[in-house]
Amino acid sequence: MREIYLDNSATTQCFPEVAERMRRVLTEEYGNPSSMHHKGVEAEKIVSASRHTLAQILKVKDSEIIFTSCGTESDNLAIIGGALASCRRGKHLITTRIEHPAVLESMKYLESQGYEVTYLPVDKDGLVEPAAVEEAVRGDTILVSIMHTNNEIGAVEPVAEIGRRIKAKNPNTLFHVDAVQGFGKARIYPAKMGIDLLAVSAHKIHGPKGMGFLYKSQKVRLVNLIYGGGQQNGLRSGTENVAGIAGMAMAADMLYRDFDGETAKIRGLKNAFLEEVERFNEELTSKGEEPLIVNGRTGDDSAPHIISLTVPGVRAEVLLHALEDKGIYVSSGSACSSNRPHPSQTLQAIGLPRPYWDNTIRISLSGLNTKEDIAETAAALREIVPFLRRYTRH
Ligand code: PLP
């Protein structure tokens, strides 16, 4: 059976070229970058060159890139490390209700340590109002954390405007952006956007799992969360994952080298899928059946790769497995939530009616998908949805 992988916001297939590069680093250029001999120098060169590649993409300094083990660690280091370093200036932080657990749980930890966190609401499209962020910033606000792209509905937050407003109100407030879903899909220039800290994960951009980085403006001071040998200026001890670093940089370079072509292709697939949903909805409504609902914005102001689809009367989990039977992989709401039994924060925050929380799947695309993938998935939905609805009271 042909495999149609539409869960690219959960993780992506590693580019074969990236995997091959990593294999070479692991088996041939395997030195420890801290070693003083040739093998170490060779490994250190790989780390430096990779750092340079990533810094060039963001238009920042090489020294502002810190390698981490994942997006989650990047978020933790930015938020907890930033708060600990700034605690003498204040103990107030701001975030939104729709952040990834990597951010929300870091905030919860800080609350348990006596910090105060303001959670801002979002509108029906999952967008934060920049004026509301500005209003919430106080003299003792040390850090604001707002995601670039929401992982469940693909809302793209106005981070540049938010950055401007934060700095205008309190130049000392740090601005952290979780760009795990946005990096590779948008051009992000932290220095121009007023972003001090930016979290990225490699496995969402066809790189390896267990690898990420944090951009940290040179003006920002963080307290390290990991203690050890003092690598990366003491901010992130631990022998660098040289193969992971090389793989992440190569994957990012491949995506950004043909950025316009890549994003146009993915958006084209998303638009083709949305057109299929529209046609299917016409058929459903003509039969007096409830149409599907696409959550959030769908135009060029939305993420090119994420579609949140509510199928009233059909449980997401059941639909997910029915699609799986046809070789089609999607996720229910958000894959990161499959460990968490409680309903999606994002779907609640955008005001989706309660009965629909459990009826929502997420389709997330990559440049490796094809028009045929979209056509076959649409055909599968046309077949499966009416069938499953026959067994559901709604
Ligand atoms: N932030 C967002 C928005 C995400 O979507 C994810 C993963 O899905 C993460 C953070 C965590 O990244 P990682 O899996 O690399 O820890």
Side-chain angles (χ1 to χ4, degrees), residues 246-277:
M248 174 168 66
M250 185 175 179
D253 185 49
M254 286 171 69
L255 287 185
Y256 277 98
R257 204 174 306 152
D258 178 28
F259 178 79
D260 292 336
E262 178 79 8
T263 45
K265 179 187 175 196
I266 300 172
R267 191 171 294 285
L269 295 173
K270 173 169 171 171
N271 289 340
F273 184 80
L274 293 170
E275 280 168 27
E276 294 277 8
V277 171

mmCIF file of all heavy atoms in Angstrom, residues 246-277:
data_model
loop_
_atom_site.group_PDB
_atom_site.id
_atom_site.type_symbol
_atom_site.label_atom_id
_atom_site.label_comp_id
_atom_site.label_asym_id
_atom_site.label_seq_id
_atom_site.Cartn_x
_atom_site.Cartn_y
_atom_site.Cartn_z
ATOM 1 N N ALA A 246 25.273 18.816 12.161
ATOM 2 C CA ALA A 246 25.537 18.862 10.714
ATOM 3 C C ALA A 246 24.260 18.582 9.930
ATOM 4 O O ALA A 246 23.965 19.245 8.930
ATOM 5 C CB ALA A 246 26.612 17.839 10.357
ATOM 6 N N GLY A 247 23.468 17.607 10.414
ATOM 7 C CA GLY A 247 22.225 17.254 9.734
ATOM 8 C C GLY A 247 21.211 18.381 9.784
ATOM 9 O O GLY A 247 20.554 18.698 8.782
ATOM 10 N N MET A 248 21.102 18.997 10.942
ATOM 11 C CA MET A 248 20.129 20.107 11.086
ATOM 12 C C MET A 248 20.504 21.263 10.159
ATOM 13 O O MET A 248 19.635 21.816 9.480
ATOM 14 C CB MET A 248 20.099 20.577 12.545
ATOM 15 C CG MET A 248 19.248 21.810 12.776
ATOM 16 S SD MET A 248 18.949 22.130 14.525
ATOM 17 C CE MET A 248 20.594 22.522 15.101
ATOM 18 N N ALA A 249 21.782 21.610 10.137
ATOM 19 C CA ALA A 249 22.204 22.740 9.305
ATOM 20 C C ALA A 249 21.995 22.424 7.828
ATOM 21 O O ALA A 249 21.553 23.275 7.056
ATOM 22 C CB ALA A 249 23.664 23.070 9.585
ATOM 23 N N MET A 250 22.279 21.183 7.458
ATOM 24 C CA MET A 250 22.118 20.813 6.048
ATOM 25 C C MET A 250 20.639 20.856 5.638
ATOM 26 O O MET A 250 20.283 21.356 4.575
ATOM 27 C CB MET A 250 22.691 19.407 5.806
ATOM 28 C CG MET A 250 22.662 19.008 4.358
ATOM 29 S SD MET A 250 23.473 17.405 4.164
ATOM 30 C CE MET A 250 23.257 17.176 2.404
ATOM 31 N N ALA A 251 19.770 20.338 6.511
ATOM 32 C CA ALA A 251 18.332 20.348 6.207
ATOM 33 C C ALA A 251 17.835 21.794 6.083
ATOM 34 O O ALA A 251 17.094 22.135 5.153
ATOM 35 C CB ALA A 251 17.565 19.610 7.309
ATOM 36 N N ALA A 252 18.262 22.656 7.010
ATOM 37 C CA ALA A 252 17.826 24.060 6.962
ATOM 38 C C ALA A 252 18.322 24.719 5.685
ATOM 39 O O ALA A 252 17.579 25.434 5.002
ATOM 40 C CB ALA A 252 18.361 24.808 8.185
ATOM 41 N N ASP A 253 19.568 24.432 5.334
ATOM 42 C CA ASP A 253 20.141 25.015 4.116
ATOM 43 C C ASP A 253 19.357 24.554 2.892
ATOM 44 O O ASP A 253 19.050 25.342 1.995
ATOM 45 C CB ASP A 253 21.613 24.594 4.023
ATOM 46 C CG ASP A 253 22.296 25.264 2.856
ATOM 47 O OD1 ASP A 253 22.166 26.497 2.726
ATOM 48 O OD2 ASP A 253 22.961 24.569 2.064
ATOM 49 N N MET A 254 18.993 23.271 2.851
ATOM 50 C CA MET A 254 18.238 22.754 1.697
ATOM 51 C C MET A 254 16.886 23.437 1.586
ATOM 52 O O MET A 254 16.436 23.772 0.499
ATOM 53 C CB MET A 254 18.062 21.225 1.831
ATOM 54 C CG MET A 254 19.355 20.465 1.552
ATOM 55 S SD MET A 254 19.221 18.701 1.950
ATOM 56 C CE MET A 254 18.078 18.133 0.684
ATOM 57 N N LEU A 255 16.226 23.671 2.723
ATOM 58 C CA LEU A 255 14.908 24.310 2.685
ATOM 59 C C LEU A 255 15.011 25.773 2.275
ATOM 60 O O LEU A 255 14.213 26.261 1.480
ATOM 61 C CB LEU A 255 14.215 24.223 4.044
ATOM 62 C CG LEU A 255 13.688 22.860 4.463
ATOM 63 C CD1 LEU A 255 12.918 22.966 5.762
ATOM 64 C CD2 LEU A 255 12.781 22.259 3.389
ATOM 65 N N TYR A 256 15.981 26.463 2.842
ATOM 66 C CA TYR A 256 16.060 27.912 2.580
ATOM 67 C C TYR A 256 16.725 28.235 1.247
ATOM 68 O O TYR A 256 16.546 29.328 0.728
ATOM 69 C CB TYR A 256 16.745 28.639 3.741
ATOM 70 C CG TYR A 256 15.754 28.917 4.856
ATOM 71 C CD1 TYR A 256 15.670 28.082 5.955
ATOM 72 C CD2 TYR A 256 14.863 29.995 4.779
ATOM 73 C CE1 TYR A 256 14.735 28.316 6.960
ATOM 74 C CE2 TYR A 256 13.933 30.244 5.778
ATOM 75 C CZ TYR A 256 13.880 29.401 6.873
ATOM 76 O OH TYR A 256 12.945 29.635 7.851
ATOM 77 N N ARG A 257 17.464 27.291 0.677
ATOM 78 C CA ARG A 257 18.112 27.577 -0.613
ATOM 79 C C ARG A 257 17.037 27.807 -1.679
ATOM 80 O O ARG A 257 17.164 28.667 -2.524
ATOM 81 C CB ARG A 257 19.030 26.431 -1.004
ATOM 82 C CG ARG A 257 20.100 26.928 -1.958
ATOM 83 C CD ARG A 257 21.133 25.883 -2.272
ATOM 84 N NE ARG A 257 21.748 25.306 -1.105
ATOM 85 C CZ ARG A 257 22.244 24.067 -1.073
ATOM 86 N NH1 ARG A 257 22.145 23.273 -2.125
ATOM 87 N NH2 ARG A 257 22.820 23.606 -0.001
ATOM 88 N N ASP A 258 15.973 27.019 -1.655
ATOM 89 C CA ASP A 258 14.875 27.247 -2.604
ATOM 90 C C ASP A 258 13.610 27.569 -1.807
ATOM 91 O O ASP A 258 12.578 26.933 -1.960
ATOM 92 C CB ASP A 258 14.653 26.010 -3.493
ATOM 93 C CG ASP A 258 13.493 26.215 -4.450
ATOM 94 O OD1 ASP A 258 13.231 27.386 -4.818
ATOM 95 O OD2 ASP A 258 12.828 25.226 -4.821
ATOM 96 N N PHE A 259 13.731 28.562 -0.947
ATOM 97 C CA PHE A 259 12.640 28.859 -0.021
ATOM 98 C C PHE A 259 11.327 29.167 -0.756
ATOM 99 O O PHE A 259 10.282 28.603 -0.434
ATOM 100 C CB PHE A 259 13.028 30.035 0.881
ATOM 101 C CG PHE A 259 11.941 30.424 1.832
ATOM 102 C CD1 PHE A 259 11.730 29.696 2.985
ATOM 103 C CD2 PHE A 259 11.099 31.492 1.551
ATOM 104 C CE1 PHE A 259 10.704 30.020 3.855
ATOM 105 C CE2 PHE A 259 10.072 31.819 2.413
ATOM 106 C CZ PHE A 259 9.883 31.085 3.571
ATOM 107 N N ASP A 260 11.397 30.064 -1.755
ATOM 108 C CA ASP A 260 10.156 30.474 -2.425
ATOM 109 C C ASP A 260 9.497 29.295 -3.127
ATOM 110 O O ASP A 260 8.279 29.099 -3.022
ATOM 111 C CB ASP A 260 10.435 31.609 -3.424
ATOM 112 C CG ASP A 260 10.833 32.898 -2.694
ATOM 113 O OD1 ASP A 260 10.463 33.036 -1.504
ATOM 114 O OD2 ASP A 260 11.526 33.734 -3.301
ATOM 115 N N GLY A 261 10.322 28.501 -3.821
ATOM 116 C CA GLY A 261 9.780 27.352 -4.548
ATOM 117 C C GLY A 261 9.167 26.338 -3.587
ATOM 118 O O GLY A 261 8.063 25.830 -3.806
ATOM 119 N N GLU A 262 9.861 26.077 -2.498
ATOM 120 C CA GLU A 262 9.434 25.076 -1.518
ATOM 121 C C GLU A 262 8.107 25.510 -0.856
ATOM 122 O O GLU A 262 7.166 24.727 -0.780
ATOM 123 C CB GLU A 262 10.551 24.925 -0.471
ATOM 124 C CG GLU A 262 10.264 23.960 0.662
ATOM 125 C CD GLU A 262 10.472 22.510 0.271
ATOM 126 O OE1 GLU A 262 10.979 22.236 -0.834
ATOM 127 O OE2 GLU A 262 10.103 21.639 1.082
ATOM 128 N N THR A 263 8.062 26.747 -0.396
ATOM 129 C CA THR A 263 6.843 27.179 0.311
ATOM 130 C C THR A 263 5.676 27.306 -0.662
ATOM 131 O O THR A 263 4.536 26.995 -0.307
ATOM 132 C CB THR A 263 7.048 28.491 1.087
ATOM 133 O OG1 THR A 263 7.735 29.417 0.264
ATOM 134 C CG2 THR A 263 7.819 28.295 2.366
ATOM 135 N N ALA A 264 5.962 27.744 -1.907
ATOM 136 C CA ALA A 264 4.871 27.860 -2.890
ATOM 137 C C ALA A 264 4.301 26.474 -3.176
ATOM 138 O O ALA A 264 3.088 26.298 -3.306
ATOM 139 C CB ALA A 264 5.377 28.509 -4.171
ATOM 140 N N LYS A 265 5.178 25.482 -3.234
ATOM 141 C CA LYS A 265 4.706 24.117 -3.504
ATOM 142 C C LYS A 265 3.797 23.638 -2.364
ATOM 143 O O LYS A 265 2.709 23.118 -2.599
ATOM 144 C CB LYS A 265 5.904 23.168 -3.656
ATOM 145 C CG LYS A 265 5.435 21.759 -3.919
ATOM 146 C CD LYS A 265 6.489 20.699 -3.925
ATOM 147 C CE LYS A 265 5.756 19.361 -4.095
ATOM 148 N NZ LYS A 265 6.583 18.217 -3.767
ATOM 149 N N ILE A 266 4.253 23.850 -1.136
ATOM 150 C CA ILE A 266 3.471 23.363 0.015
ATOM 151 C C ILE A 266 2.132 24.111 0.079
ATOM 152 O O ILE A 266 1.078 23.510 0.300
ATOM 153 C CB ILE A 266 4.279 23.516 1.324
ATOM 154 C CG1 ILE A 266 5.580 22.707 1.233
ATOM 155 C CG2 ILE A 266 3.464 23.065 2.536
ATOM 156 C CD1 ILE A 266 6.545 22.923 2.374
ATOM 157 N N ARG A 267 2.193 25.440 -0.119
ATOM 158 C CA ARG A 267 0.932 26.204 -0.068
ATOM 159 C C ARG A 267 -0.012 25.774 -1.192
ATOM 160 O O ARG A 267 -1.223 25.712 -1.025
ATOM 161 C CB ARG A 267 1.195 27.703 -0.113
ATOM 162 C CG ARG A 267 -0.074 28.488 0.198
ATOM 163 C CD ARG A 267 0.140 29.953 0.378
ATOM 164 N NE ARG A 267 0.929 30.312 1.528
ATOM 165 C CZ ARG A 267 0.494 30.283 2.786
ATOM 166 N NH1 ARG A 267 -0.729 29.884 3.068
ATOM 167 N NH2 ARG A 267 1.284 30.643 3.777
ATOM 168 N N GLY A 268 0.561 25.456 -2.345
ATOM 169 C CA GLY A 268 -0.258 24.988 -3.468
ATOM 170 C C GLY A 268 -1.000 23.707 -3.091
ATOM 171 O O GLY A 268 -2.189 23.542 -3.407
ATOM 172 N N LEU A 269 -0.309 22.814 -2.386
ATOM 173 C CA LEU A 269 -0.942 21.557 -1.961
ATOM 174 C C LEU A 269 -2.040 21.842 -0.941
ATOM 175 O O LEU A 269 -3.117 21.238 -0.964
ATOM 176 C CB LEU A 269 0.109 20.618 -1.351
ATOM 177 C CG LEU A 269 1.196 20.105 -2.302
ATOM 178 C CD1 LEU A 269 2.252 19.330 -1.528
ATOM 179 C CD2 LEU A 269 0.581 19.221 -3.396
ATOM 180 N N LYS A 270 -1.759 22.791 -0.038
ATOM 181 C CA LYS A 270 -2.771 23.141 0.977
ATOM 182 C C LYS A 270 -4.017 23.711 0.280
ATOM 183 O O LYS A 270 -5.144 23.301 0.582
ATOM 184 C CB LYS A 270 -2.182 24.176 1.952
ATOM 185 C CG LYS A 270 -3.196 24.736 2.950
ATOM 186 C CD LYS A 270 -2.518 25.543 4.040
ATOM 187 C CE LYS A 270 -3.516 26.288 4.909
ATOM 188 N NZ LYS A 270 -2.927 26.910 6.085
ATOM 189 N N ASN A 271 -3.796 24.611 -0.676
ATOM 190 C CA ASN A 271 -4.933 25.204 -1.374
ATOM 191 C C ASN A 271 -5.720 24.151 -2.143
ATOM 192 O O ASN A 271 -6.951 24.183 -2.180
ATOM 193 C CB ASN A 271 -4.460 26.328 -2.310
ATOM 194 C CG ASN A 271 -3.995 27.540 -1.504
ATOM 195 O OD1 ASN A 271 -4.350 27.705 -0.335
ATOM 196 N ND2 ASN A 271 -3.183 28.393 -2.125
ATOM 197 N N ALA A 272 -4.993 23.200 -2.738
ATOM 198 C CA ALA A 272 -5.673 22.132 -3.483
ATOM 199 C C ALA A 272 -6.536 21.311 -2.524
ATOM 200 O O ALA A 272 -7.682 20.952 -2.842
ATOM 201 C CB ALA A 272 -4.644 21.239 -4.166
ATOM 202 N N PHE A 273 -6.020 21.058 -1.331
ATOM 203 C CA PHE A 273 -6.797 20.286 -0.343
ATOM 204 C C PHE A 273 -8.026 21.078 0.097
ATOM 205 O O PHE A 273 -9.130 20.527 0.204
ATOM 206 C CB PHE A 273 -5.923 19.920 0.860
ATOM 207 C CG PHE A 273 -6.647 19.052 1.838
ATOM 208 C CD1 PHE A 273 -6.782 17.691 1.610
ATOM 209 C CD2 PHE A 273 -7.238 19.595 2.975
ATOM 210 C CE1 PHE A 273 -7.485 16.882 2.490
ATOM 211 C CE2 PHE A 273 -7.946 18.795 3.862
ATOM 212 C CZ PHE A 273 -8.065 17.434 3.619
ATOM 213 N N LEU A 274 -7.836 22.383 0.318
ATOM 214 C CA LEU A 274 -8.965 23.223 0.757
ATOM 215 C C LEU A 274 -10.060 23.258 -0.322
ATOM 216 O O LEU A 274 -11.253 23.248 -0.003
ATOM 217 C CB LEU A 274 -8.483 24.635 1.083
ATOM 218 C CG LEU A 274 -7.566 24.743 2.311
ATOM 219 C CD1 LEU A 274 -6.946 26.135 2.413
ATOM 220 C CD2 LEU A 274 -8.318 24.407 3.602
ATOM 221 N N GLU A 275 -9.639 23.260 -1.583
ATOM 222 C CA GLU A 275 -10.638 23.236 -2.675
ATOM 223 C C GLU A 275 -11.411 21.926 -2.666
ATOM 224 O O GLU A 275 -12.618 21.905 -2.888
ATOM 225 C CB GLU A 275 -9.945 23.405 -4.031
ATOM 226 C CG GLU A 275 -9.614 24.863 -4.328
ATOM 227 C CD GLU A 275 -8.675 24.985 -5.529
ATOM 228 O OE1 GLU A 275 -8.679 24.087 -6.407
ATOM 229 O OE2 GLU A 275 -7.918 25.975 -5.552
ATOM 230 N N GLU A 276 -10.700 20.843 -2.382
ATOM 231 C CA GLU A 276 -11.367 19.533 -2.288
ATOM 232 C C GLU A 276 -12.381 19.537 -1.144
ATOM 233 O O GLU A 276 -13.480 19.005 -1.277
ATOM 234 C CB GLU A 276 -10.334 18.414 -2.044
ATOM 235 C CG GLU A 276 -9.380 18.174 -3.173
ATOM 236 C CD GLU A 276 -9.966 17.258 -4.251
ATOM 237 O OE1 GLU A 276 -11.156 16.937 -4.175
ATOM 238 O OE2 GLU A 276 -9.202 16.892 -5.164
ATOM 239 N N VAL A 277 -12.008 20.164 -0.034
ATOM 240 C CA VAL A 277 -12.920 20.216 1.123
ATOM 241 C C VAL A 277 -14.162 21.022 0.728
ATOM 242 O O VAL A 277 -15.301 20.646 1.049
ATOM 243 C CB VAL A 277 -12.232 20.849 2.360
ATOM 244 C CG1 VAL A 277 -13.233 21.115 3.484
ATOM 245 C CG2 VAL A 277 -11.110 19.941 2.864
#
